[in-house]
Amino acid sequence: MEFEGLPRKAIVGITGGIGSGKSVVSRILRLNGFPVYDCDMEAKRIMHENLHVRKRLCEIAGDRVYGPDGCLDRVYMAQCIFSDSVLREAVNKVVHKAVFDDFMIFSERSSEKFVFCESAILVSSGFYSICDAVLLVDAPESLRIERVVARNGLHRDEVKKRIASQEGEFTSLPYEKTFVVENDGVNPILPYVLKFIKKDITKTEITCSEKFWL
């Protein structure tokens, strides 16, 4: 299947599980002048700065969600949403909506032909629905575990649990607009990311079944 009828400016999602290397892909794109919106980083900013979001989170999870210093108490928030699925859904709805609106402003301000959006939860956040294409960054599980253990100091079993908990996000991606970027730690990643951004995602130049093996 081929892309048809894309707008002049395409929105491209960047996703992948823990340790896959999606942040590396984002870094390469930024260094080449492309706008990349980091949903996780911007969500943290929004929860701190956006007064409407702060008010709603306090209404949902209680005033303790923000500490005396005015900063979000992430430990308390994590405890709240971990033990209460209804509360978790309510918090996610508020945050995802605010991040979505913020990204749309970010996208509209860009004059580039591609605007990239990095998120580990493109599906559950609903962002995938506005993406004209998705770059799914992947790597062998053993390598992902090694990367996260070295980076975060987590136990291997904990990393495996996190990997397993994320899998539904990626198997649910729409195949017809998903490109796999295999970041195996052997072949250089830069040439293949550049290969993608130097092409136009158009009916005549690129098909959805093409994969960029790194």
Side-chain angles (χ1 to χ4, degrees), residues 37-51 53-54 66 72 74 95 98-99 101-103 106 109:
Y37 186 94
D38 184 331
C39 286
D40 184 56
M41 181 180 70
E42 298 301 337
K44 293 174 183 176
R45 175 184 61 79
I46 288 169
M47 285 189 285
H48 179 70
E49 296 179 357
N50 187 303
L51 296 180
V53 170
R54 290 173 67 97
Y66 288 94
L72 182 71
R74 299 189 185 283
V95 176
V99 173
D101 291 345
D102 192 64
F103 170 74
F106 175 88
R109 288 175 176 171

Side-chain angles (χ1 to χ4, degrees), residues 42-110:
E42 298 301 337
K44 293 174 183 176
R45 175 184 61 79
I46 288 169
M47 285 189 285
H48 179 70
E49 296 179 357
N50 187 303
L51 296 180
H52 173 71
V53 170
R54 290 173 67 97
K55 180 175 181 292
R56 290 292 295 121
L57 293 182
C58 287
E59 291 172 349
I60 294 168
D63 292 339
R64 280 188 58 195
V65 75
Y66 288 94
D69 60 356
C71 294
L72 182 71
D73 186 334
R74 299 189 185 283
V75 175
Y76 177 73
M77 174 65 85
Q79 291 172 344
C80 289
I81 64 177
F82 179 77
S83 59
D84 188 331
S85 60
V86 175
L87 188 148
R88 179 169 61 252
E89 184 176 348
V91 168
N92 285 342
K93 184 176 181 179
V94 170
V95 176
H96 291 166
K97 174 65 165 58
V99 173
F100 184 91
D101 291 345
D102 192 64
F103 170 74
M104 294 309 295
I105 293 172
F106 175 88
S107 175
E108 289 166 5
R109 288 175 176 171
S110 173

Side-chain angles (χ1 to χ4, degrees), residues 180-210:
V180 178
V181 177
E182 190 66 35
N183 183 21
D184 61 8
V186 177
N187 298 297
I189 193 171
L190 177 61
Y192 294 90
V193 175
L194 295 180
K195 178 182 179 182
F196 178 84
I197 61 179
K198 287 179 180 177
K199 288 189 175 186
D200 288 325
I201 308 178
T202 66
K203 184 176 177 180
T204 56
E205 293 193 21
I206 195 167
T207 65
C208 295
S209 60
E210 183 172 355

Side-chain angles (χ1 to χ4, degrees), residues 3 10 25 36 51 75 82 102 121 125 142 146 171 177 179 209:
F3 288 115
V25 172
V36 182
L51 296 180
V75 175
F82 179 77
D102 192 64
I121 53 171
S125 67
S142 58
E146 289 176 11
T171 55
K177 60 180 181 182
F179 299 83
S209 60

